[in-house]
Amino acid sequence: MMAQALGRWQRAVHRRHGANLGLPLALALALGVFAWVQPAFLSADNLIGILRQVAIVGIMAAAMTFVIMTGGIDLSVGPVLALAGLVAVLSLDAGLGLPLALGLALGCGLAIGLLNGGLIALGGLPPIIVTLAMLSIVRGSALLLGGPDLHAVRTQPAFSFIGTGTVAGVPFSVWLFAAVSALLWFVQRRTPLGLMVAAVGDNERAAWLSGHRTRLITWSLYGASGLCAALAGVIQASQVHTGSATYGEFGTELDVIAAVVLGGTQLSGGRGSVLRTVVGVLFLGTLNNAMNILNVPIDIQLIAKGLIIALALGLGQRRA
């Protein structure tokens, strides 16, 4: 009996740690293969470039992890990114100071996220329907505000620093990505809210009957998703020195969701990890960078990304 119990325990530990280590091992293998094919891949400049490229998607994916853990989804992050960047640029162009411009941009994203959360948590509407409708509404609002044109940022060194500045040789946008990820990891692992997010996704009614404010939790998570999408929009506008309603085109939200799913977060809710989402973001960024260096055609890149997402979903469902 003791041997059988020990065997079951060993198999359970193997399954758990195998699932946790699978993606990091895949990332390490990918790095090794791409470095063997193209030695320049592991250069310091290229690795920092990968981090810079994934920072925008990573910030949104870290917040999206909580949303998906509740069994929800947020498809409006791309247009929110565009609108927030446009608001920041137009505010600066109108002569408003940087703090007020950033406040308006971030506040815009937070308001949209809270509106999503209110309709879902308080109105009882399906998340995919609400955020799909919001995707269209926000994109149209951005086009009304700025049209399809690019709006350049005039001389604004402080604003440009957000997307192009460096601290200790590392892009400031990467530091922002790290800070957001660390904060959300702390919330998930060290606060009651992290436990409640998993409880809501696992069985919302049971969590509500236990006396927890499940609607408020869901509401706040969509607000956080909108806020992080707005921050990503500000970073992008700063990097390219322009704002446009056409940024965050269709596919941005799919990249965000793909990173979360690759990190092992279940679309049905109840299970997920901010830290593994970060690894998923790095894996996708590494893959995209390597295929660009190797001049892989864009159609093949899209097919490869889709196959990887499908494989991750299949493996996640099998583990569940």
Side-chain angles (χ1 to χ4, degrees):
M1 292 292 292
M2 180 65 71
Q4 291 177 350
L6 181 59
R8 287 194 298 269
W9 176 80
Q10 288 176 332
R11 287 192 295 272
V13 171
H14 176 74
R15 286 194 299 268
R16 178 180 178 183
H17 288 279
N20 289 339
L21 293 177
L23 185 59
L25 289 176
L27 176 59
L29 178 62
L31 288 171
V33 171
F34 294 144
W36 177 70
V37 174
Q38 176 54 264
F41 177 79
L42 285 183
S43 67
D45 288 342
N46 188 61
L47 293 178
I48 291 177
I50 292 175
L51 293 176
R52 181 187 291 109
Q53 291 167 7
V54 304
I56 291 174
V57 169
I59 288 172
M60 294 187 287
M64 183 75 80
T65 302
F66 281 180
V67 171
I68 294 180
M69 281 183 66
T70 64
I73 200 164
D74 187 356
L75 299 177
S76 65
V77 292
V80 171
L81 175 151
L83 180 61
L86 186 60
V87 167
V89 168
L90 293 179
S91 297
L92 291 171
D93 192 50
L96 301 181
L98 180 61
L100 183 55
L102 294 180
L104 289 173
L106 298 179
C108 186
L110 177 62
I112 295 170
L114 290 176
L115 180 56
N116 279 334
L119 293 172
I120 294 165
L122 305 181
L125 300 178
I128 191 169
I129 300 300
V130 170
T131 58
L132 184 60
M134 194 61 68
L135 179 153
S136 181
I137 293 171
V138 175
R139 181 71 72 190
S141 300
L143 287 169
L144 282 175
L145 179 64
D149 302 325
L150 295 177
H151 298 267
V153 181
R154 298 179 182 178
T155 306
Q156 293 285 347
F159 181 72
S160 298
F161 180 83
I162 297 173
T164 61
T166 61
V167 176
V170 177
F172 184 66
S173 58
V174 175
W175 288 111
L176 288 176
F177 171 36
V180 170
S181 300
L183 175 62
L184 293 179
W185 174 86
F186 178 83
V187 169
Q188 182 182 25
R189 303 291 296 182
R190 295 291 185 267
T191 69
L193 177 59
L195 295 175
M196 288 303 100
V197 170
V200 170
D202 189 51
N203 192 324
E204 183 176 0
R205 180 165 177 79
W208 178 74
L209 291 174
S210 299
H212 299 293
R213 305 177 70 177
T214 57
R215 292 180 178 178
L216 181 60
I217 291 171
T218 301
W219 194 5
S220 64
L221 295 180
Y222 280 92
S225 179
L227 179 63
C228 286
L231 175 59
V234 169
I235 293 172
Q236 184 180 47
S238 174
Q239 286 179 345
V240 298
H241 307 289
T242 56
S244 174
T246 60
Y247 289 162
E249 68 279 358
F250 179 75
T252 299
E253 58 278 351
L254 298 183
D255 287 340
V256 173
I257 295 169
V260 177
V261 171
L262 278 174
T265 301
Q266 292 182 183
L267 288 173
S268 57
R271 181 181 298 177
S273 167
V274 172
L275 185 59
R276 290 201 300 271
T277 292
V278 171
V279 180
V281 169
L282 294 176
F283 182 83
L284 282 179
T286 299
L287 185 66
N288 289 334
N289 179 267
M291 289 192 293
N292 287 331
I293 288 179
L294 298 175
N295 294 318
V296 177
I298 185 63
D299 49 356
I300 302 300
Q301 292 189 31
L302 292 173
I303 292 172
K305 186 183 297 185
L307 290 174
I308 289 172
I309 294 170
L311 179 61
L313 279 171
L315 293 175
Q317 185 63 32
R318 183 179 179 85
R319 289 198 303 268

